[in-house]
Amino acid sequence: MGELNVYRELGTVPNFTDVARRHGMDRHTVAKYWRGGPAARDGRGDRASSFDEFREEIEGRAALPGSRKKAVHEWLLHRHPGAGLAGYGAFTAYTRRNGILFGAEAAAEPHPRYETGPGEQLQFDWKESLRLRDRDGEVHEFNVLSATLGWSRLHRFRYSRTRTEDDTLLCLASVFRANGGVTEFCDTDNMAGVVSLSSGRRRVSPRALEFARAAGTELRFCRVRTPQTKGKVESANRFVERLRAYDGDFSGEEELIAIIAHIEARSNAEPCAETGVPPAALFMREKERLRPVGSWEALEALAADVTYQVVPSTMLVRARGRQWSVPARCIGRRARVASTPGGQVRVEVGGELVAVHELSEPGRVVYDPAHYSEAISGKAFFAGADIEEAARANLELLGRLGDGAWMG
């Protein structure tokens, strides 16, 4: 009802299907509440909860270290899309009624609200040193750059294995491109990727300053240990906590990156607590106030050596005189290949990060074992074979050819 009341105040009619999807309801129920107001009843008071059959899973996810209620609810919606699960309010009532605990909330230090106009501010920060286990028990250590537009609260999350200056600038360039422009200011704290501290004095990387000038924005730095000065991105970081619900429930780096993209899309589709409107809706107005980037080529050149290539059937793109694999689904699509001074090759297709390779990996031809296994799994020649073992053997042969005989 709170969201419907916002639309009433704005004088607009909501999309009933979209509202129903976000709250786990039928669109006809939403329409009934729209027409009838608070007096409308749906007659479901005595029904069994849609969460009952998943109680054991809920309790298991709630017991994970650092687990949050919202994160577990989002995980349920993602993993059981056809189960007709109810919205977050019903989930909160269900867990409270059944005594399912998710850990105590830290006491928040009060501070006054500080608002900015459209196109004025982007806040960004690293969510550092995250660790998740995949289904095979392998531990993935990674970081997420979280960037939030101050007015619309639109979030962008960017995966990175490390958080060097290269990573920071590449992720920011990706955010600027996804947003279609830049804000007047970009606010952050003393992140190690662009700031060094010596004898209490702060020194900002000249390369980072040149990058900001080329983009047409200004870097501003918050005081240490004052997260409220960049509170919107601190709030966005709470969305990243939803990742913890996926511990042990994903396969490899590629699915992990896809889960982060899913969380980004969901967080932008949900009504914001401060504005009452989904960030994606407000972004349509803020986008008009963003500054255009003068030259994307110049901006990218400051972040990395970037080329654009169409992915061939070999699933290999070229960088630094070598060839690097991408997933099979990228064949025939245009890829953005960035090689950083710090030693990585990062490949994006359609704005999505699809592969990350280290320049330290040996050989002229570098296939990610997961990419190679996927490619040969559908081949008749390998029918009945152990795909992982076949992939390992063929990659070993390719490594030998890469010493000089392999011609690409």
Side-chain angles (χ1 to χ4, degrees), residues 72-101:
V72 175
H73 182 248
E74 285 295 316
W75 176 83
L76 280 171
L77 295 179
H78 187 195
R79 291 311 191 196
H80 303 286
L85 294 172
Y88 180 61
F91 183 69
T92 297
Y94 177 82
T95 56
R96 185 185 300 118
R97 186 168 63 249
N98 290 281
I100 302 174
L101 302 178

PDB file of all heavy atoms in Angstrom, residues 72-101:
ATOM      1  N   VAL A  72      18.433 -13.222   2.294  1.00  0.00           N
ATOM      2  CA  VAL A  72      17.855 -14.570   2.207  1.00  0.00           C
ATOM      3  C   VAL A  72      16.554 -14.543   1.409  1.00  0.00           C
ATOM      4  O   VAL A  72      16.289 -15.450   0.611  1.00  0.00           O
ATOM      5  CB  VAL A  72      17.628 -15.146   3.618  1.00  0.00           C
ATOM      6  CG1 VAL A  72      16.905 -16.488   3.539  1.00  0.00           C
ATOM      7  CG2 VAL A  72      18.955 -15.312   4.347  1.00  0.00           C
ATOM      8  N   HIS A  73      15.734 -13.501   1.579  1.00  0.00           N
ATOM      9  CA  HIS A  73      14.502 -13.405   0.800  1.00  0.00           C
ATOM     10  C   HIS A  73      14.813 -13.295  -0.686  1.00  0.00           C
ATOM     11  O   HIS A  73      14.178 -13.963  -1.515  1.00  0.00           O
ATOM     12  CB  HIS A  73      13.689 -12.192   1.260  1.00  0.00           C
ATOM     13  CG  HIS A  73      12.387 -12.055   0.527  1.00  0.00           C
ATOM     14  ND1 HIS A  73      12.127 -11.023  -0.344  1.00  0.00           N
ATOM     15  CD2 HIS A  73      11.261 -12.829   0.528  1.00  0.00           C
ATOM     16  CE1 HIS A  73      10.919 -11.170  -0.845  1.00  0.00           C
ATOM     17  NE2 HIS A  73      10.367 -12.248  -0.328  1.00  0.00           N
ATOM     18  N   GLU A  74      15.807 -12.481  -1.051  1.00  0.00           N
ATOM     19  CA  GLU A  74      16.193 -12.350  -2.455  1.00  0.00           C
ATOM     20  C   GLU A  74      16.726 -13.673  -2.998  1.00  0.00           C
ATOM     21  O   GLU A  74      16.465 -14.045  -4.141  1.00  0.00           O
ATOM     22  CB  GLU A  74      17.249 -11.250  -2.611  1.00  0.00           C
ATOM     23  CG  GLU A  74      16.698  -9.850  -2.505  1.00  0.00           C
ATOM     24  CD  GLU A  74      15.745  -9.536  -3.635  1.00  0.00           C
ATOM     25  OE1 GLU A  74      16.046  -9.870  -4.786  1.00  0.00           O
ATOM     26  OE2 GLU A  74      14.671  -8.978  -3.370  1.00  0.00           O
ATOM     27  N   TRP A  75      17.475 -14.389  -2.183  1.00  0.00           N
ATOM     28  CA  TRP A  75      17.993 -15.695  -2.603  1.00  0.00           C
ATOM     29  C   TRP A  75      16.852 -16.661  -2.888  1.00  0.00           C
ATOM     30  O   TRP A  75      16.879 -17.395  -3.892  1.00  0.00           O
ATOM     31  CB  TRP A  75      18.909 -16.245  -1.497  1.00  0.00           C
ATOM     32  CG  TRP A  75      19.414 -17.624  -1.770  1.00  0.00           C
ATOM     33  CD1 TRP A  75      20.481 -17.990  -2.539  1.00  0.00           C
ATOM     34  CD2 TRP A  75      18.841 -18.854  -1.282  1.00  0.00           C
ATOM     35  NE1 TRP A  75      20.616 -19.352  -2.555  1.00  0.00           N
ATOM     36  CE2 TRP A  75      19.623 -19.913  -1.796  1.00  0.00           C
ATOM     37  CE3 TRP A  75      17.761 -19.151  -0.463  1.00  0.00           C
ATOM     38  CZ2 TRP A  75      19.355 -21.238  -1.506  1.00  0.00           C
ATOM     39  CZ3 TRP A  75      17.490 -20.478  -0.187  1.00  0.00           C
ATOM     40  CH2 TRP A  75      18.288 -21.505  -0.699  1.00  0.00           C
ATOM     41  N   LEU A  76      15.830 -16.673  -2.023  1.00  0.00           N
ATOM     42  CA  LEU A  76      14.676 -17.550  -2.249  1.00  0.00           C
ATOM     43  C   LEU A  76      13.973 -17.223  -3.560  1.00  0.00           C
ATOM     44  O   LEU A  76      13.625 -18.126  -4.342  1.00  0.00           O
ATOM     45  CB  LEU A  76      13.682 -17.400  -1.090  1.00  0.00           C
ATOM     46  CG  LEU A  76      13.980 -18.151   0.204  1.00  0.00           C
ATOM     47  CD1 LEU A  76      13.022 -17.702   1.297  1.00  0.00           C
ATOM     48  CD2 LEU A  76      13.882 -19.660  -0.003  1.00  0.00           C
ATOM     49  N   LEU A  77      13.740 -15.933  -3.828  1.00  0.00           N
ATOM     50  CA  LEU A  77      13.067 -15.534  -5.065  1.00  0.00           C
ATOM     51  C   LEU A  77      13.878 -15.940  -6.286  1.00  0.00           C
ATOM     52  O   LEU A  77      13.317 -16.342  -7.316  1.00  0.00           O
ATOM     53  CB  LEU A  77      12.843 -14.023  -5.075  1.00  0.00           C
ATOM     54  CG  LEU A  77      11.896 -13.450  -4.009  1.00  0.00           C
ATOM     55  CD1 LEU A  77      11.804 -11.943  -4.155  1.00  0.00           C
ATOM     56  CD2 LEU A  77      10.519 -14.079  -4.113  1.00  0.00           C
ATOM     57  N   HIS A  78      15.203 -15.854  -6.173  1.00  0.00           N
ATOM     58  CA  HIS A  78      16.078 -16.183  -7.300  1.00  0.00           C
ATOM     59  C   HIS A  78      16.100 -17.687  -7.553  1.00  0.00           C
ATOM     60  O   HIS A  78      16.011 -18.141  -8.703  1.00  0.00           O
ATOM     61  CB  HIS A  78      17.493 -15.671  -7.006  1.00  0.00           C
ATOM     62  CG  HIS A  78      18.427 -15.796  -8.162  1.00  0.00           C
ATOM     63  ND1 HIS A  78      19.795 -15.677  -8.055  1.00  0.00           N
ATOM     64  CD2 HIS A  78      18.197 -16.025  -9.480  1.00  0.00           C
ATOM     65  CE1 HIS A  78      20.352 -15.831  -9.224  1.00  0.00           C
ATOM     66  NE2 HIS A  78      19.419 -16.047 -10.114  1.00  0.00           N
ATOM     67  N   ARG A  79      16.221 -18.480  -6.466  1.00  0.00           N
ATOM     68  CA  ARG A  79      16.376 -19.932  -6.605  1.00  0.00           C
ATOM     69  C   ARG A  79      15.050 -20.667  -6.786  1.00  0.00           C
ATOM     70  O   ARG A  79      15.041 -21.799  -7.269  1.00  0.00           O
ATOM     71  CB  ARG A  79      17.112 -20.492  -5.385  1.00  0.00           C
ATOM     72  CG  ARG A  79      18.583 -20.086  -5.310  1.00  0.00           C
ATOM     73  CD  ARG A  79      19.295 -20.312  -6.613  1.00  0.00           C
ATOM     74  NE  ARG A  79      20.740 -20.167  -6.500  1.00  0.00           N
ATOM     75  CZ  ARG A  79      21.545 -20.013  -7.528  1.00  0.00           C
ATOM     76  NH1 ARG A  79      21.034 -19.977  -8.750  1.00  0.00           N
ATOM     77  NH2 ARG A  79      22.841 -19.887  -7.365  1.00  0.00           N
ATOM     78  N   HIS A  80      13.930 -20.049  -6.420  1.00  0.00           N
ATOM     79  CA  HIS A  80      12.616 -20.695  -6.566  1.00  0.00           C
ATOM     80  C   HIS A  80      11.656 -19.741  -7.274  1.00  0.00           C
ATOM     81  O   HIS A  80      10.646 -19.310  -6.696  1.00  0.00           O
ATOM     82  CB  HIS A  80      12.069 -21.092  -5.189  1.00  0.00           C
ATOM     83  CG  HIS A  80      12.972 -21.993  -4.407  1.00  0.00           C
ATOM     84  ND1 HIS A  80      13.137 -23.324  -4.706  1.00  0.00           N
ATOM     85  CD2 HIS A  80      13.789 -21.742  -3.342  1.00  0.00           C
ATOM     86  CE1 HIS A  80      13.992 -23.864  -3.848  1.00  0.00           C
ATOM     87  NE2 HIS A  80      14.414 -22.921  -3.018  1.00  0.00           N
ATOM     88  N   PRO A  81      11.944 -19.398  -8.544  1.00  0.00           N
ATOM     89  CA  PRO A  81      11.162 -18.365  -9.235  1.00  0.00           C
ATOM     90  C   PRO A  81       9.712 -18.737  -9.482  1.00  0.00           C
ATOM     91  O   PRO A  81       8.868 -17.867  -9.624  1.00  0.00           O
ATOM     92  CB  PRO A  81      11.928 -18.173 -10.551  1.00  0.00           C
ATOM     93  CG  PRO A  81      12.641 -19.479 -10.771  1.00  0.00           C
ATOM     94  CD  PRO A  81      13.022 -19.945  -9.400  1.00  0.00           C
ATOM     95  N   GLY A  82       9.400 -20.013  -9.536  1.00  0.00           N
ATOM     96  CA  GLY A  82       8.019 -20.412  -9.846  1.00  0.00           C
ATOM     97  C   GLY A  82       7.228 -20.857  -8.638  1.00  0.00           C
ATOM     98  O   GLY A  82       6.140 -21.428  -8.777  1.00  0.00           O
ATOM     99  N   ALA A  83       7.729 -20.589  -7.433  1.00  0.00           N
ATOM    100  CA  ALA A  83       7.083 -21.096  -6.230  1.00  0.00           C
ATOM    101  C   ALA A  83       5.994 -20.180  -5.698  1.00  0.00           C
ATOM    102  O   ALA A  83       5.320 -20.527  -4.726  1.00  0.00           O
ATOM    103  CB  ALA A  83       8.132 -21.320  -5.135  1.00  0.00           C
ATOM    104  N   GLY A  84       5.805 -19.009  -6.309  1.00  0.00           N
ATOM    105  CA  GLY A  84       4.771 -18.089  -5.852  1.00  0.00           C
ATOM    106  C   GLY A  84       5.021 -17.534  -4.466  1.00  0.00           C
ATOM    107  O   GLY A  84       4.083 -17.338  -3.683  1.00  0.00           O
ATOM    108  N   LEU A  85       6.290 -17.288  -4.140  1.00  0.00           N
ATOM    109  CA  LEU A  85       6.639 -16.791  -2.811  1.00  0.00           C
ATOM    110  C   LEU A  85       6.141 -15.368  -2.604  1.00  0.00           C
ATOM    111  O   LEU A  85       6.146 -14.550  -3.521  1.00  0.00           O
ATOM    112  CB  LEU A  85       8.155 -16.851  -2.610  1.00  0.00           C
ATOM    113  CG  LEU A  85       8.749 -18.268  -2.589  1.00  0.00           C
ATOM    114  CD1 LEU A  85      10.262 -18.205  -2.582  1.00  0.00           C
ATOM    115  CD2 LEU A  85       8.245 -19.038  -1.391  1.00  0.00           C
ATOM    116  N   ALA A  86       5.753 -15.061  -1.365  1.00  0.00           N
ATOM    117  CA  ALA A  86       5.227 -13.740  -1.031  1.00  0.00           C
ATOM    118  C   ALA A  86       6.356 -12.717  -0.925  1.00  0.00           C
ATOM    119  O   ALA A  86       7.542 -13.058  -0.992  1.00  0.00           O
ATOM    120  CB  ALA A  86       4.447 -13.806   0.282  1.00  0.00           C
ATOM    121  N   GLY A  87       5.982 -11.445  -0.759  1.00  0.00           N
ATOM    122  CA  GLY A  87       6.944 -10.360  -0.723  1.00  0.00           C
ATOM    123  C   GLY A  87       7.718 -10.277   0.577  1.00  0.00           C
ATOM    124  O   GLY A  87       7.532 -11.079   1.508  1.00  0.00           O
ATOM    125  N   TYR A  88       8.577  -9.259   0.652  1.00  0.00           N
ATOM    126  CA  TYR A  88       9.494  -9.131   1.778  1.00  0.00           C
ATOM    127  C   TYR A  88       8.745  -8.864   3.088  1.00  0.00           C
ATOM    128  O   TYR A  88       9.142  -9.361   4.146  1.00  0.00           O
ATOM    129  CB  TYR A  88      10.494  -8.007   1.509  1.00  0.00           C
ATOM    130  CG  TYR A  88      11.494  -7.807   2.617  1.00  0.00           C
ATOM    131  CD1 TYR A  88      12.364  -8.827   2.989  1.00  0.00           C
ATOM    132  CD2 TYR A  88      11.560  -6.587   3.297  1.00  0.00           C
ATOM    133  CE1 TYR A  88      13.280  -8.657   4.010  1.00  0.00           C
ATOM    134  CE2 TYR A  88      12.474  -6.406   4.315  1.00  0.00           C
ATOM    135  CZ  TYR A  88      13.336  -7.436   4.671  1.00  0.00           C
ATOM    136  OH  TYR A  88      14.239  -7.249   5.682  1.00  0.00           O
ATOM    137  N   GLY A  89       7.660  -8.098   3.048  1.00  0.00           N
ATOM    138  CA  GLY A  89       6.899  -7.838   4.266  1.00  0.00           C
ATOM    139  C   GLY A  89       6.349  -9.117   4.864  1.00  0.00           C
ATOM    140  O   GLY A  89       6.422  -9.337   6.086  1.00  0.00           O
ATOM    141  N   ALA A  90       5.804  -9.991   4.005  1.00  0.00           N
ATOM    142  CA  ALA A  90       5.279 -11.273   4.482  1.00  0.00           C
ATOM    143  C   ALA A  90       6.404 -12.160   5.002  1.00  0.00           C
ATOM    144  O   ALA A  90       6.232 -12.900   5.980  1.00  0.00           O
ATOM    145  CB  ALA A  90       4.523 -11.971   3.356  1.00  0.00           C
ATOM    146  N   PHE A  91       7.570 -12.081   4.361  1.00  0.00           N
ATOM    147  CA  PHE A  91       8.719 -12.873   4.800  1.00  0.00           C
ATOM    148  C   PHE A  91       9.183 -12.418   6.187  1.00  0.00           C
ATOM    149  O   PHE A  91       9.501 -13.228   7.056  1.00  0.00           O
ATOM    150  CB  PHE A  91       9.849 -12.736   3.788  1.00  0.00           C
ATOM    151  CG  PHE A  91      11.067 -13.561   4.110  1.00  0.00           C
ATOM    152  CD1 PHE A  91      11.027 -14.942   4.031  1.00  0.00           C
ATOM    153  CD2 PHE A  91      12.256 -12.949   4.490  1.00  0.00           C
ATOM    154  CE1 PHE A  91      12.162 -15.709   4.325  1.00  0.00           C
ATOM    155  CE2 PHE A  91      13.379 -13.696   4.778  1.00  0.00           C
ATOM    156  CZ  PHE A  91      13.330 -15.084   4.705  1.00  0.00           C
ATOM    157  N   THR A  92       9.211 -11.090   6.401  1.00  0.00           N
ATOM    158  CA  THR A  92       9.582 -10.554   7.708  1.00  0.00           C
ATOM    159  C   THR A  92       8.627 -11.050   8.790  1.00  0.00           C
ATOM    160  O   THR A  92       9.043 -11.476   9.874  1.00  0.00           O
ATOM    161  CB  THR A  92       9.583  -9.017   7.672  1.00  0.00           C
ATOM    162  OG1 THR A  92      10.573  -8.567   6.746  1.00  0.00           O
ATOM    163  CG2 THR A  92       9.880  -8.432   9.038  1.00  0.00           C
ATOM    164  N   ALA A  93       7.322 -10.987   8.498  1.00  0.00           N
ATOM    165  CA  ALA A  93       6.326 -11.458   9.468  1.00  0.00           C
ATOM    166  C   ALA A  93       6.483 -12.956   9.726  1.00  0.00           C
ATOM    167  O   ALA A  93       6.365 -13.416  10.873  1.00  0.00           O
ATOM    168  CB  ALA A  93       4.922 -11.151   8.951  1.00  0.00           C
ATOM    169  N   TYR A  94       6.774 -13.727   8.673  1.00  0.00           N
ATOM    170  CA  TYR A  94       6.920 -15.175   8.815  1.00  0.00           C
ATOM    171  C   TYR A  94       8.110 -15.516   9.707  1.00  0.00           C
ATOM    172  O   TYR A  94       8.002 -16.359  10.620  1.00  0.00           O
ATOM    173  CB  TYR A  94       7.105 -15.801   7.433  1.00  0.00           C
ATOM    174  CG  TYR A  94       7.339 -17.288   7.460  1.00  0.00           C
ATOM    175  CD1 TYR A  94       6.280 -18.177   7.575  1.00  0.00           C
ATOM    176  CD2 TYR A  94       8.633 -17.802   7.370  1.00  0.00           C
ATOM    177  CE1 TYR A  94       6.497 -19.542   7.605  1.00  0.00           C
ATOM    178  CE2 TYR A  94       8.858 -19.165   7.407  1.00  0.00           C
ATOM    179  CZ  TYR A  94       7.793 -20.036   7.522  1.00  0.00           C
ATOM    180  OH  TYR A  94       8.011 -21.386   7.567  1.00  0.00           O
ATOM    181  N   THR A  95       9.261 -14.865   9.467  1.00  0.00           N
ATOM    182  CA  THR A  95      10.453 -15.173  10.269  1.00  0.00           C
ATOM    183  C   THR A  95      10.282 -14.722  11.711  1.00  0.00           C
ATOM    184  O   THR A  95      10.729 -15.395  12.638  1.00  0.00           O
ATOM    185  CB  THR A  95      11.696 -14.513   9.653  1.00  0.00           C
ATOM    186  OG1 THR A  95      11.484 -13.096   9.510  1.00  0.00           O
ATOM    187  CG2 THR A  95      11.998 -15.108   8.283  1.00  0.00           C
ATOM    188  N   ARG A  96       9.613 -13.586  11.923  1.00  0.00           N
ATOM    189  CA  ARG A  96       9.367 -13.120  13.291  1.00  0.00           C
ATOM    190  C   ARG A  96       8.427 -14.087  14.016  1.00  0.00           C
ATOM    191  O   ARG A  96       8.632 -14.422  15.185  1.00  0.00           O
ATOM    192  CB  ARG A  96       8.779 -11.709  13.253  1.00  0.00           C
ATOM    193  CG  ARG A  96       8.600 -11.102  14.649  1.00  0.00           C
ATOM    194  CD  ARG A  96       7.903  -9.758  14.588  1.00  0.00           C
ATOM    195  NE  ARG A  96       8.645  -8.800  13.788  1.00  0.00           N
ATOM    196  CZ  ARG A  96       8.189  -8.242  12.672  1.00  0.00           C
ATOM    197  NH1 ARG A  96       6.974  -8.560  12.233  1.00  0.00           N
ATOM    198  NH2 ARG A  96       8.908  -7.378  12.005  1.00  0.00           N
ATOM    199  N   ARG A  97       7.393 -14.532  13.304  1.00  0.00           N
ATOM    200  CA  ARG A  97       6.405 -15.436  13.905  1.00  0.00           C
ATOM    201  C   ARG A  97       7.023 -16.787  14.272  1.00  0.00           C
ATOM    202  O   ARG A  97       6.622 -17.408  15.271  1.00  0.00           O
ATOM    203  CB  ARG A  97       5.250 -15.639  12.911  1.00  0.00           C
ATOM    204  CG  ARG A  97       4.083 -16.444  13.463  1.00  0.00           C
ATOM    205  CD  ARG A  97       2.879 -16.351  12.543  1.00  0.00           C
ATOM    206  NE  ARG A  97       3.132 -16.919  11.228  1.00  0.00           N
ATOM    207  CZ  ARG A  97       3.218 -16.201  10.099  1.00  0.00           C
ATOM    208  NH1 ARG A  97       3.069 -14.888  10.141  1.00  0.00           N
ATOM    209  NH2 ARG A  97       3.442 -16.784   8.939  1.00  0.00           N
ATOM    210  N   ASN A  98       8.029 -17.205  13.492  1.00  0.00           N
ATOM    211  CA  ASN A  98       8.634 -18.511  13.725  1.00  0.00           C
ATOM    212  C   ASN A  98       9.982 -18.434  14.448  1.00  0.00           C
ATOM    213  O   ASN A  98      10.678 -19.445  14.573  1.00  0.00           O
ATOM    214  CB  ASN A  98       8.812 -19.236  12.386  1.00  0.00           C
ATOM    215  CG  ASN A  98       7.490 -19.677  11.785  1.00  0.00           C
ATOM    216  OD1 ASN A  98       6.907 -20.680  12.194  1.00  0.00           O
ATOM    217  ND2 ASN A  98       6.989 -18.910  10.817  1.00  0.00           N
ATOM    218  N   GLY A  99      10.337 -17.248  14.902  1.00  0.00           N
ATOM    219  CA  GLY A  99      11.547 -17.106  15.703  1.00  0.00           C
ATOM    220  C   GLY A  99      12.834 -17.366  14.948  1.00  0.00           C
ATOM    221  O   GLY A  99      13.820 -17.830  15.534  1.00  0.00           O
ATOM    222  N   ILE A 100      12.858 -17.072  13.646  1.00  0.00           N
ATOM    223  CA  ILE A 100      14.075 -17.256  12.841  1.00  0.00           C
ATOM    224  C   ILE A 100      14.899 -15.977  12.918  1.00  0.00           C
ATOM    225  O   ILE A 100      14.442 -14.907  12.501  1.00  0.00           O
ATOM    226  CB  ILE A 100      13.722 -17.591  11.383  1.00  0.00           C
ATOM    227  CG1 ILE A 100      12.869 -18.863  11.329  1.00  0.00           C
ATOM    228  CG2 ILE A 100      14.990 -17.756  10.551  1.00  0.00           C
ATOM    229  CD1 ILE A 100      12.349 -19.195   9.940  1.00  0.00           C
ATOM    230  N   LEU A 101      16.111 -16.073  13.461  1.00  0.00           N
ATOM    231  CA  LEU A 101      16.947 -14.907  13.702  1.00  0.00           C
ATOM    232  C   LEU A 101      18.057 -14.795  12.674  1.00  0.00           C
ATOM    233  O   LEU A 101      18.615 -15.805  12.233  1.00  0.00           O
ATOM    234  CB  LEU A 101      17.550 -14.975  15.109  1.00  0.00           C
ATOM    235  CG  LEU A 101      16.555 -15.076  16.268  1.00  0.00           C
ATOM    236  CD1 LEU A 101      17.291 -15.177  17.596  1.00  0.00           C
ATOM    237  CD2 LEU A 101      15.594 -13.890  16.254  1.00  0.00           C
TER     238      LEU A 101
END
